Amino acid sequence: QVNVVESGGGSVQAGGSLTLSCLVSGYDASRKCMGWFRQVPGKERERVATIYPFLALTYYMDSVKGRFRISGDNAKNTVSLQMKNLKPEDSGMYYCVAGPHLGAGSCSGDGFVRFWGQGTQVTVSS
């Protein structure tokens, strides 16, 4: 059984920082994609950042480039998201995801996702 557990959400003021962490247990594929999605009520789910830890390849949505940094440890099955200079529009429920690497560039899309965490709330106030 695969379990995906996030931690680190919270409330901050605009310009502040948060770090999200995630542990994926029960899924030991050596070549896998991991990452973070976010959901805001009434809006489409967004793929915030993803990583292919095996080659340390990272992918970011445009609005977070330069402010967020994703890192992952393939052996430990962990993935983190460092968020700096947070903006109110970054608010949402953040979900950790994982799934198999399906080929070149597959970690940059949504198709790899097989496992989801329960989510952790991030609220940025202006």
Side-chain angles (χ1 to χ4, degrees):
Q1 182 179 353
V2 178
N3 287 310
V4 181
V5 180
E6 307 99 336
S7 61
S11 298
V12 296
Q13 290 190 328
S17 300
L18 283 174
T19 297
L20 306 182
S21 299
C22 174
L23 172 64
V24 182
S25 57
Y27 184 54
D28 296 325
S30 60
R31 301 191 180 194
K32 57 181 170 287
C33 305
M34 304 174 78
W36 297 90
F37 284 62
R38 72 184 177 202
Q39 180 78 60
V40 177
K43 294 187 177 182
E44 290 190 5
R45 182 183 63 203
E46 298 176 303
R47 185 180 62 255
V48 179
T50 51
I51 185 170
Y52 180 36
F54 186 77
L55 293 179
L57 297 176
T58 58
Y59 309 90
Y60 297 92
M61 65 184 299
D62 288 344
S63 65
V64 307
K65 289 180 180 178
R67 300 188 297 118
F68 289 15
R69 179 178 178 274
I70 188 171
S71 58
D73 188 315
N74 216 24
K76 296 181 179 179
N77 280 347
T78 58
V79 60
S80 297
L81 186 67
Q82 295 178 301
M83 305 183 292
K84 297 182 179 180
N85 191 21
L86 282 159
K87 302 177 180 181
E89 53 264 41
D90 294 320
S91 298
M93 186 69 78
Y94 282 68
Y95 296 92
C96 179
V97 300
H101 181 255
L102 302 173
S106 60
C107 294
S108 65
D110 298 356
F112 73 88
V113 180
R114 298 291 185 270
F115 309 108
W116 292 80
Q118 293 296 311
T120 184
Q121 180 69 38
V122 171
T123 302
V124 185
S125 57
S126 58

